[in-house]
Amino acid sequence: MSYKIPMGPYHPALEEPYKLDLICTGETVTDAKLHIGFNFRGIEHLAETRNYIQVIALMERVCGICSNIHTLTLCQAMEGLTGLTPPPRAQYIRVVMAELERLHSHVLWAGIAAKLMGFKTMFMTCFELREKVMDVLQAISGNRVNYSMNRIGGVNRDIEDPIALLGMIDVLEREMVKKVIPIFTTSSTARSRCAGIGVLTHEKAISCGTVGPVARASGVGQDIRKAAPYAAYAEMDFEVPVQPDGDVKARLLVRALEIMESCKILRQALTKMPPGELASGGDKFTFVTGTATSRVEAPRGEVMYSVSWKEGARNPARVHVRTPTFATMPAIRWMVLGARLADTPLIQASIDPCYSCTDR
Amino acid sequence: MSVFETIQEKLGVTEPWLEKGGVHWLNPSPLSVRELAKAMIALNARFITITAYQLPKEEGLKLEYHWDLDGQLLGFPFLLAGNTIESIYDLSEAVDWIEREIHEGFAVDFTGREYEPLLLREGETPGVNLREEVKK
């Protein structure tokens, strides 16, 4: 006999509200339905009522974790409509901010995953590490959530002493190599909760159109930083970690390895940061009529913005946002099929979902 | 042969590509959206999203289908005479949520598929979010 277990919209395993209706036979999940929309704020419509300065502040609030990525993608699209090219130093600062954001997002996720495994010590370790990253973000921008770093044509603030940030990267890398990666990959608790759990096959990852670490953990090696480099990524030397297994462990491992790659990128960006201006164009620029599109690799995968403008208008005519969780979340249905009910909180969390992004 | 020439050959379209605003655009006419989707899937292109626009006055709606092939962002515009266009959900399950979102936001009917609410609307009326005549 099958029965339905609703998980959410409010549940200890969910950071934000969404609902997963699990159809079970005994302890085994045989089907699942996802319900979203609890965080819908009508942001795409609101964007049409904001001018070119206000819309940046608005889109920074699409997501509380990858806020910088949203303004970066939006500004890149608006730069396509104004003809402005950010100066080299601004491009490097954009890379630094994007990678710091990836670090804090991935470490945050590792902490939450540890908590869902019942591994509280690891949760505390990860959050202690995340604090170090957050302190750096605060030191650069003055903020811990909405950094207000991006503007059309560049960035708002400088990183005055880039070399001083290298110490934090050394600490983070050391802790990852000595503690986090070995414990997550060798401890029996982590192995028993993650290995072979919530498998998304390579074929399903492609057919569902998944992106980011979820796709890479199923053997799909796509990363916009490599495939279509933006900001200063073309000048950075880094690898794109890919794992073939498609289970929770593979997603964990991909993110852990991405933390190491982010440290590598940060070290290059901070040491090679060129001197110069922070923004081009000043306040003198005009929008041409048309649509510009920009893609960026957020911590959860590809973000895409399409921005339309009419020449002489104060507000955009249309802003469309495709977030990574919107692309990846439907795959949860396939991950939980055949899983034990007790594993479903960790499986759904393993995609590092952002419901605010998804709903907008 | 470049990616773009390969696509043109596969689609049988001779019209040139136009690179604008970070996208390589191709007018797929006279192909239908389903013929385009079949060709893109055969080329192992990755579906990204559909962007819907309500055109001024009585010009109707425009849907832009975005695909990625080898890191190139491709755009294919389709003008809708009415409110309907064929669904490609049965060809690519990646389009499921965006078709549902556009149905609810712009009241576009993607024919040939069943809908479940994506909870992005009030009540049962589609189009409350982004259709000009409704959102005002």
Side-chain angles (χ1 to χ4, degrees):
Chain A
M1 178 189 161
S2 64
Y3 54 95
K4 184 171 84 176
I5 301 270
M7 185 173 145
Y10 302 102
H11 186 280
L14 308 178
E15 296 154 71
E16 300 167 60
Y18 98 118
K19 191 163 175 256
L20 191 57
D21 281 331
L22 299 159
I23 314 299
C24 302
T25 302
E27 280 290 306
T28 306
V29 179
T30 55
D31 200 2
K33 271 188 183 176
L34 282 81
H35 304 281
I36 61 167
F38 300 94
N39 291 313
F40 178 67
R41 290 153 288 163
I43 283 185
E44 290 188 8
H45 168 54
L46 280 174
E48 297 170 13
T49 67
R50 300 291 191 272
N51 67 31
Y52 64 89
I53 295 171
Q54 294 167 333
V55 75
I56 300 173
L58 174 69
M59 301 321 273
E60 188 149 44
R61 282 148 180 84
V62 168
C63 179
I65 296 175
C66 50
S67 55
N68 176 70
I69 284 295
H70 282 279
T71 59
L72 171 58
T73 323
L74 173 70
C75 287
Q76 286 188 168
M78 292 201 290
E79 283 154 12
L81 291 165
T82 54
L84 294 179
T85 305
R89 188 173 181 85
Q91 302 280 30
Y92 271 70
I93 291 172
R94 284 180 171 184
V95 167
V96 170
M97 288 302 293
E99 292 310 313
L100 284 170
E101 195 165 68
R102 191 179 322 280
L103 282 181
H104 101 71
S105 177
H106 280 6
V107 180
L108 172 102
W109 177 80
I112 290 169
K115 190 191 88 174
L116 290 171
M117 285 177 216
F119 205 162
K120 292 280 172 63
T121 316
M122 203 61 201
F123 166 77
M124 297 303 284
T125 303
C126 290
F127 268 65
E128 187 200 357
L129 280 176
R130 180 175 178 259
E131 275 307 298
K132 295 186 199 317
V133 187
M134 298 302 289
D135 287 346
V136 174
L137 283 164
Q138 187 176 6
I140 293 172
S141 69
N143 292 289
R144 289 168 63 88
V145 178
N146 297 313
Y147 315 108
S148 302
M149 283 296 282
N150 292 298
R151 55 172 287 182
I152 303 172
V155 292
N156 285 318
R157 294 183 192 85
D158 197 6
I159 299 176
E160 288 172 8
D161 187 3
I163 304 300
L165 302 182
L166 291 172
M168 178 280 296
I169 296 161
D170 292 339
V171 170
L172 188 72
E173 209 170 36
R174 194 169 56 238
E175 293 287 311
M176 288 304 296
V177 172
K178 281 191 174 173
K179 285 186 192 168
V180 180
I181 295 177
I183 291 174
F184 270 135
T185 51
T186 59
S187 89
S188 55
T189 306
R191 238 190 0 252
S192 65
R193 294 300 313 273
C194 299
I197 305 293
V199 174
L200 182 70
T201 62
H202 181 75
E203 293 71 28
K204 267 291 171 205
I206 290 172
S207 68
C208 289
T210 58
V211 293
V214 174
R216 294 193 280 274
S218 292
V220 184
Q222 49 112 346
D223 187 322
I224 297 298
R225 293 175 297 174
K226 279 280 187 200
Y230 52 92
Y233 279 107
E235 295 163 44
M236 304 294 149
D237 177 30
F238 66 101
E239 302 294 323
V240 176
V242 176
Q243 293 287 316
D245 296 339
D247 56 1
V248 174
K249 187 183 172 192
R251 280 166 225 139
L252 209 156
L253 206 53
V254 162
R255 291 194 183 94
L257 295 171
E258 283 186 11
I259 289 173
M260 306 302 290
E261 293 302 317
S262 286
C263 291
K264 200 165 91 178
I265 295 169
L266 277 168
R267 204 168 275 125
Q268 294 171 64
L270 291 168
T271 51
K272 292 197 298 188
M273 190 175 287
E277 296 294 313
L278 297 181
S280 57
D283 294 326
K284 291 185 172 36
F285 55 83
T286 51
F287 287 88
V288 295
T289 299
T291 300
T293 301
S294 171
R295 290 189 294 169
V296 158
E297 188 72 21
R300 296 171 180 80
E302 176 194 55
V303 174
M304 186 181 120
Y305 270 63
S306 285
V307 180
S308 295
W309 220 285
K310 286 195 181 76
E311 197 170 337
R314 285 173 60 82
N315 303 344
R318 174 98 170 93
V319 178
H320 177 230
V321 189
R322 204 300 308 268
T323 64
T325 308
F326 191 87
T328 301
M329 212 182 206
I332 289 177
R333 184 181 171 213
W334 304 109
M335 294 177 193
V336 299
L337 285 187
R340 286 175 302 177
L341 182 62
D343 286 330
T344 52
L346 181 61
I347 292 171
Q348 65 83 29
S350 73
I351 72 157
D352 191 11
C354 179
Y355 313 114
S356 291
C357 277
T358 308
D359 294 348
R360 287 154 284 134
Chain B
M1 191 184 277
S2 74
V3 164
F4 306 110
E5 287 166 339
T6 308
I7 296 169
Q8 277 177 312
E9 189 180 273
K10 184 82 183 169
L11 296 177
V13 175
T14 51
E15 208 168 308
W17 288 91
L18 175 68
E19 188 182 357
K20 199 178 171 191
V23 184
H24 297 276
W25 294 100
L26 185 69
N27 183 359
S29 179
L31 292 180
S32 72
V33 69
R34 288 183 65 81
E35 287 167 323
L36 172 74
K38 281 177 191 165
M40 297 310 290
I41 292 164
L43 288 165
N44 292 323
R46 176 171 62 88
F47 173 80
I48 302 176
T49 194
I50 309 168
T51 305
Y53 298 89
Q54 185 168 14
L55 301 175
K57 297 172 187 165
E58 303 299 318
E59 292 174 44
L61 294 149
K62 180 172 76 168
L63 299 187
E64 290 173 352
Y65 285 71
H66 290 287
W67 295 79
D68 176 292
L69 187 59
D70 296 342
Q72 302 289 349
L73 180 58
L74 311 172
F76 303 95
F78 285 88
L79 290 171
L80 275 59
N83 284 343
T84 60
I85 189 166
E86 291 172 298
S87 169
I88 56 169
Y89 174 41
D90 59 322
L91 303 173
S92 167
E93 60 185 309
V95 306
D96 181 22
W97 280 21
I98 189 65
E99 283 192 352
R100 285 158 69 183
E101 182 175 297
I102 291 171
H103 171 69
E104 293 178 12
F106 285 89
V108 172
D109 190 16
F110 292 90
T111 56
R113 65 164 293 172
E114 298 286 318
Y115 292 105
E116 284 197 29
L118 203 59
L119 296 180
L120 293 173
R121 58 180 161 157
E122 187 180 301
E124 293 302 310
T125 314
V128 291
N129 300 325
L130 289 157
R131 278 294 280 264
E132 289 297 331
E133 59 271 31
V134 187
K135 74 184 181 189
K136 280 171 186 167

